[in-house]
Amino acid sequence: MKETGLDAYRFSISWSRLIPNGRGEVNPKGLEYYNNLINELLDHGIQPHATIFHYDLPQVLEDEYNGWLSPQIIGDFTAYADVCFREFGDRVTYWTTLNEPNAFALLGYDTGLGPPGRCSKPFGNCSNGNSAAEPYIVAHHCLLAHSSAVSLYRRSYQEKQQGFIGMDIFTSDFLPYTNSTEDIAAAKRTQTFFIGWFLDPLYYGDYPILMKKNVGSKLPKFSRDQSEQLMSSMDFLGVNYYTITHVKDDPQDAPNNRRDFMADASAKTNLNYSTTHVYIPSYGLQDVLEYLKQSYGNPPIYIHENGYPMSQDVVFDDEHRVKFLSEHLRSLLNSLRNGSNTKGYFVWSLMDLYELLGGFSTTYGLYYVDLTDKDLRRYPRRSAIWYADFLKGRRDAASVRSSDSSLSISSV
C-alpha cells in the first residue's frame, strides 16, 4: 500500500470474526487482528476507513431469528457496533455502518444470489424465502440498525473520538433502453427504487412516494421518532459505482404479493455485476454524482468502490482496467469542477480477493495474487503501476490528476 502511494485504506470488520456468537464475548484473536491492521496502517501514514457490516452475519443469529428479517437484529447490530467504536474508535475516524444494503437486500432476499440465499419462485430457486416481501423488511431493519448505531456513536463516542459516520449504497447510472416515453419513465422509476429506497429515508425521513404507491402494504412504515433519527444519521454518503444500467419499461398486472422488487418498479434492466472486457463509458459516474448533488443537497461523498472486473488469470496486462480507471477519474474531476462535494475515492480492489458473485474467477485487483502459491504472492498488474504513477503525479497519469488537494484518492 505504501509503495503504491495510498493515503487511505477501506476495510470491513467481520462480525463473525470479532464476536463469533453474534453477541456477548469478544474473540481476543479477532480483536488482535484488527488492532494490528489498524496500527500498521497508521504506522505507514495510511488512514483507516472501517465498514462495520459487509454481508457476513454470524450464522448463530441467522439460525436463531432469521437475522435481518427480525427487528431483533437492530439491538444486536448496535451492540456489535458499540464494540467496534470502543475498541477501535481511538484510531478509526471514518465509519461506515453498512455496505450497500440495497444490493444486500436484493441479492440475499429477492434473487437469492447473495447471503443468506433466500428467494421464492419464479424470481430465484431457493429452499426458503419470499422475494415479494422480504427485501423490503430487510431494508427497513438495515435503516433502523444504521440509525441506532449512529445514535449510539453520537451519544457516547463522537465528541471524544472526533470521527465521522455514514452508510454506503450501490449505485448505477440508470438510462432508458430506448428514447420512448415509457422507457424514460421506467429508468426514473428504477433510479428511485434503487437509490431513493435508502436515501429518501436517510435525508428526508421516509420512503419515496412512488415506492409507497407501487409497493403498497409490503413497504414498512417509520414512526416520527425513527424518521427524525434517520435524517440526522449521515455525516457522509458512501457510493459504490461500477457501470451504466439500461432500463426497459415492463408493465405488470400480477397481484402485489406476486411481484418482486423489479416487478414493483415495472421495469427490466440489463444489470450485470461481473461483466468483463466490456467498455463502460465513464460519464455514468458523473451522472450519478450530479443526481446525488441535485436530489440530496450535495452531501459529502466518498466513492467507496469503483473498479473493473477481469478474469483472475490475467497476470499483468489489464489494459482495460487502466482505461476504465483513467476515464472514471477524469469523470470524477469533471464532477468536482461542477460542484460535487466528493471527498475521497477508493478503487475496488487493491488485490485479487474472493468476490461475492464471481468467486476467484472474476476479480478486480490492481495486484495479481498467485492462488497456486502457498504464500499467495502478489504481483503488480499494469493497473497497479499506472495507479501508483497517477497518485505520485508521474508521466501520462498526471493528466487526470485533480488540482484539488483536499480530495483523498486511494484504494480499498
Side-chain angles (χ1 to χ4, degrees):
M1 296 181 205
K2 185 70 174 178
E3 290 174 359
T4 305
L6 304 189
D7 62 4
Y9 179 72
R10 174 177 174 252
F11 66 95
S12 300
I13 298 170
S14 169
W15 189 344
S16 302
R17 173 182 273 167
L18 196 60
I19 310 175
N21 292 321
R23 63 174 80 88
E25 186 176 354
V26 176
N27 173 20
K29 290 187 177 180
L31 199 61
E32 180 184 24
Y33 174 85
Y34 290 112
N35 275 321
N36 288 343
L37 171 62
I38 292 164
N39 291 339
E40 193 74 12
L41 289 170
L42 292 171
D43 286 347
H44 287 83
I46 299 170
Q47 185 181 66
H49 288 237
T51 298
I52 299 173
F53 180 79
H54 196 141
Y55 287 95
D56 56 335
L57 181 73
Q59 187 62 41
V60 64
L61 302 185
E62 189 70 34
D63 295 340
E64 182 181 332
Y65 55 73
N66 284 329
W68 289 95
L69 281 168
S70 169
Q72 197 169 334
I73 193 71
I74 299 167
D76 284 341
F77 176 77
T78 305
Y80 158 54
D82 191 16
V83 172
C84 294
F85 301 146
R86 183 180 70 241
E87 298 293 342
F88 312 126
D90 59 328
R91 289 152 293 153
V92 174
T93 53
Y94 287 88
W95 292 100
T96 301
T97 54
L98 299 146
N99 177 72
E100 56 182 30
N102 52 345
F104 168 67
L106 294 176
L107 291 171
Y109 298 86
D110 186 346
T111 65
L113 295 175
R118 294 178 63 92
C119 64
S120 57
K121 294 180 179 180
F123 309 107
N125 185 20
C126 308
S127 56
N128 293 292
N130 181 347
S131 297
E134 289 186 0
Y136 300 112
I137 297 168
V138 168
H140 198 72
H141 293 156
C142 284
L143 284 162
L144 295 179
H146 159 81
S147 65
S148 176
V150 172
S151 180
L152 168 70
Y153 186 67
R154 300 251 196 268
R155 289 194 314 269
S156 303
Y157 296 100
Q158 191 166 36
E159 183 177 358
K160 181 179 180 180
Q161 296 177 352
Q162 294 294 297
F164 304 89
I165 191 165
M167 177 197 287
D168 77 25
I169 63 163
F170 173 82
T171 65
S172 185
D173 188 17
F174 296 100
L175 300 177
Y177 185 73
T178 70
N179 288 327
S180 70
T181 302
E182 292 80 8
D183 285 357
I184 292 171
K188 291 180 178 177
R189 285 196 305 273
T190 304
Q191 187 176 55
T192 297
F193 266 68
F194 269 86
I195 298 176
W197 186 20
F198 277 80
L199 294 197
D200 274 34
L202 289 169
Y203 289 100
Y204 302 120
D206 204 358
Y207 293 116
I209 293 172
L210 172 67
M211 290 193 72
K212 290 183 176 182
K213 177 184 176 183
N214 285 26
V215 179
S217 60
K218 296 186 298 184
L219 197 64
K221 294 179 172 59
F222 297 111
S223 69
R224 180 176 296 179
D225 286 346
Q226 288 170 341
S227 293
E228 290 177 356
Q229 191 166 294
L230 280 164
M231 287 190 291
S232 63
S233 69
M234 296 288 282
D235 292 334
F236 65 85
L237 169 64
V239 169
N240 295 354
Y241 174 84
Y242 289 93
T243 191
I244 287 167
T245 301
H246 289 99
V247 183
K248 189 172 180 59
D249 184 46
D250 186 29
Q252 297 289 317
D253 55 13
N256 180 280
N257 64 354
R258 294 192 177 182
R259 297 197 310 259
D260 76 337
F261 183 82
M262 289 309 302
D264 284 335
S266 296
K268 285 184 177 179
T269 75
N270 69 336
L271 186 60
N272 188 326
Y273 294 88
S274 58
T275 300
T276 63
H277 302 285
V278 174
Y279 176 68
I280 300 173
S282 62
Y283 59 76
L285 176 59
Q286 191 172 341
D287 286 350
V288 167
L289 293 175
E290 182 65 21
Y291 171 74
L292 296 173
K293 183 181 79 173
Q294 297 291 342
S295 301
Y296 298 102
N298 201 17
I301 286 174
Y302 287 86
I303 298 172
H304 277 164
E305 295 181 20
N306 181 234
Y308 189 85
M310 295 183 70
S311 176
Q312 198 274 334
D313 60 11
V314 175
V315 176
F316 175 75
D317 194 7
D318 59 345
E319 186 61 36
H320 291 285
R321 183 173 289 128
V322 172
K323 184 177 178 65
F324 175 94
L325 293 174
S326 173
E327 294 186 355
H328 279 75
L329 284 165
R330 285 192 180 95
S331 183
L332 172 56
L333 176 55
N334 289 335
S335 295
L336 289 168
R337 287 170 171 164
N338 289 333
S340 172
N341 196 17
T342 301
K343 300 292 188 182
Y345 172 92
F346 294 81
V347 173
W348 185 273
S349 56
L350 177 65
M351 67 191 80
D352 292 340
L353 48 82
Y354 188 83
E355 291 291 339
L356 177 68
L357 299 179
F360 285 122
S361 62
T362 301
T363 60
Y364 293 75
L366 303 183
Y367 285 81
Y368 169 77
V369 178
D370 185 352
L371 300 175
T372 65
D373 183 89
K374 65 180 179 62
D375 295 321
L376 298 175
R377 292 181 184 276
R378 304 159 190 175
Y379 303 91
R381 290 189 171 104
R382 186 184 297 276
S383 58
I385 296 168
W386 178 88
Y387 196 56
D389 286 342
F390 166 75
L391 293 176
K392 295 166 185 173
R394 292 183 191 147
R395 298 204 307 266
D396 294 340
S399 65
V400 295
R401 287 182 61 83
S402 169
S403 60
D404 182 358
S405 60
S406 67
L407 177 70
S408 173
I409 300 183
S410 199
S411 172
V412 64

